Amino acid sequence: MDEKPKSKQNPLICLPGQRLCPSDNTYTSGQGTYERQGYIYSQLAGYVDIVDKDKVKVVEVHSKGEQTVVPAQGDIVTAQVNLITQQFCKCFIKCVGDTVLRRPFRALIRKEDVRATEKDKVDIYKSFRPGDIILARVLPITEAHTYQLSTAENELGVVIAHSERGHRMVPISWTEMQCPKTFVKEPRKVAKVVPENINQAEDKEEFKSVQE
Amino acid sequence: MANIGEYVYPGDVVKNVKSIKGITIIGPGLRQNEENPNTLCISQAGKLCFREPNTYWIEGKRHRYIPKKGDLVLGVVAKKAGDSLKVDIGSAEFAALPMLAFEGATKKQKPDVQVGDVIYARLLSAHREMEPELICVDSYFKAGRLGVLPNDGFLINISLNLTQRLLDIKDPLLPTLGKKFPYEIVLGVNGRMWLNAKQRKDILTLLRCIEAAEAD
């Protein structure tokens, strides 16, 4: 059933699997749609929208309450560590870049992907602990239900961690964090978090104390 | 306010803590008090003990074993999971014992271990957040006394205090029994004991004596 997309006054409501229009030079499939055998079909139940991009009309389908952001290969994600073993570390992806996800995605960090150097001498217990918040990069997707992450860069690793007593720890080097109340040091793979605007940060006292 | 030699409850505070150059050694059952950092807070019921110059600990009747690195423990194989075994040592999680951690084991020739076998092993690592790891060899890859125990023994659970008492060389119970009849015994620090003797009635005698020692 062919339906040419209507104007915004009469928005076209479509169902999943509904054929929208033929896919040719004027119309291409956008988010919420897919192309099959020369036609554009809808993936979601919602409103059809046409967006003009580079002299081509992109057909999109938007549904209410959807979140279309999904971790893709190469994205920097924020995850919380759930379980550690000798071989790997399981975590939940909470945010992709700046977007907070509505539901967490399961992810796995293998022992070899924790660091860039000395990969075989990694001790997961000295890099992550359950409850830590980490920054990681998504690796090429191989498994069906879990993402593979890597923290093998200076800017990736543990950002927020709590000590065994429950106090938030302060990073003191790339491999250690210290509890401010009990002064106990705990080993972690710490992320090198750089302030977004270095010039602005120079005025802040925190940056001055780090430099000292 | 708790005094040395008294029976104390969890929540009691130990004041006037002796320390050498600011260092006090605290054993099981005690932890540093958060409200008042120079005092100790008690977390187990028992008797408060002190040893010169700066060591405190609580002695109470305990059955729950908390894994510690380097301990020699007795475990029962619960599951075979591919390359490793899951062993029940009485801790919160089953311990992992790799199949290659036996003497003379290679990828082609794995040791003959079945579900339900009793294993005497050493704890390689034990943390709160991870499952404990066991090995049946030392750093020279020799087994010594570690490994699978023969099937004709008898495994019992005892309290941790009795285990510590029996492991003491000066304790007279085990040598006295040894003068009466020969027997084999393996003590695991996790509160488990494996016994074996030539005759059934000898094994029963051993059991009765251990029960009596426990009741002390």
Side-chain angles (χ1 to χ4, degrees), chain A residues 48-202:
Chain A
V48 182
D49 200 21
I50 320 165
V51 179
D52 274 318
K53 239 190 219 176
D54 299 329
K55 296 171 196 170
V56 176
K57 296 194 181 182
V58 180
V59 180
E60 293 175 355
V61 177
H62 296 281
S63 84
K64 194 174 160 188
E66 101 210 21
Q67 180 160 63
T68 50
V69 177
V70 158
Q73 179 193 338
D75 288 344
I76 304 265
V77 296
T78 310
Q80 182 171 39
V81 176
N82 197 35
L83 188 123
I84 53 170
T85 69
Q86 296 284 351
Q87 267 76 37
F88 53 81
C89 155
K90 281 194 187 171
C91 41
F92 283 109
I93 298 180
K94 302 273 185 187
C95 313
V96 173
D98 286 335
T99 331
V100 179
L101 296 174
R102 289 241 176 89
R103 54 151 287 223
F105 288 97
R106 286 174 165 271
L108 195 92
I109 304 179
R110 284 180 312 144
K111 191 167 128 174
E112 300 85 44
D113 298 326
V114 172
R115 276 209 309 241
T117 53
E118 287 186 339
K119 283 185 191 180
D120 42 339
K121 288 187 195 161
V122 168
D123 194 355
I124 295 256
Y125 188 68
K126 294 196 177 137
S127 313
F128 306 123
R129 297 274 168 97
D132 289 351
I133 306 285
I134 57 171
L135 278 174
R137 192 179 288 275
V138 182
L139 292 174
I141 294 167
T142 45
E143 265 181 61
H145 296 288
T146 43
Y147 284 93
Q148 298 272 348
L149 299 179
S150 158
T151 54
E153 281 165 51
N154 286 346
E155 293 79 22
L156 304 175
V158 175
V159 183
I160 300 176
H162 288 80
S163 72
E164 291 188 357
R165 289 303 185 90
H167 307 292
R168 186 154 156 197
M169 291 200 287
V170 173
I172 51 175
S173 77
W174 306 130
T175 49
E176 277 186 321
M177 292 180 112
Q178 192 173 30
C179 171
K181 299 269 166 67
T182 57
F183 303 112
V184 172
K185 292 184 190 170
E186 285 184 29
R188 296 287 203 280
K189 200 262 172 197
V190 184
K192 180 176 174 178
V193 179
V194 182
E196 275 173 346
N197 195 336
I198 295 261
N199 292 330
Q200 269 179 17
E202 269 176 352

Side-chain angles (χ1 to χ4, degrees), chain B residues 49-123:
Chain B
C49 303
F50 173 71
R51 193 178 67 192
E52 293 284 335
N54 56 352
T55 313
Y56 292 86
W57 74 96
I58 301 278
E59 260 181 33
K61 202 151 201 230
R62 279 185 297 258
H63 287 264
R64 170 74 59 196
Y65 171 62
I66 296 177
K68 205 174 90 230
K69 181 175 165 174
D71 279 351
L72 289 163
V73 294
L74 271 172
V76 179
V77 178
K79 270 189 270 186
K80 262 186 172 182
D83 229 357
S84 71
L85 302 161
K86 291 270 179 272
V87 181
D88 174 22
I89 57 173
S91 58
E93 275 188 58
F94 287 161
L97 170 57
M99 287 281 220
L100 294 172
F102 287 86
E103 186 173 353
T106 58
K107 281 197 183 151
K108 298 234 171 113
Q109 195 188 10
K110 300 232 170 113
D112 181 26
V113 187
Q114 306 306 324
V115 173
D117 280 351
V118 181
I119 300 222
Y120 190 43
R122 184 186 291 273
L123 270 168

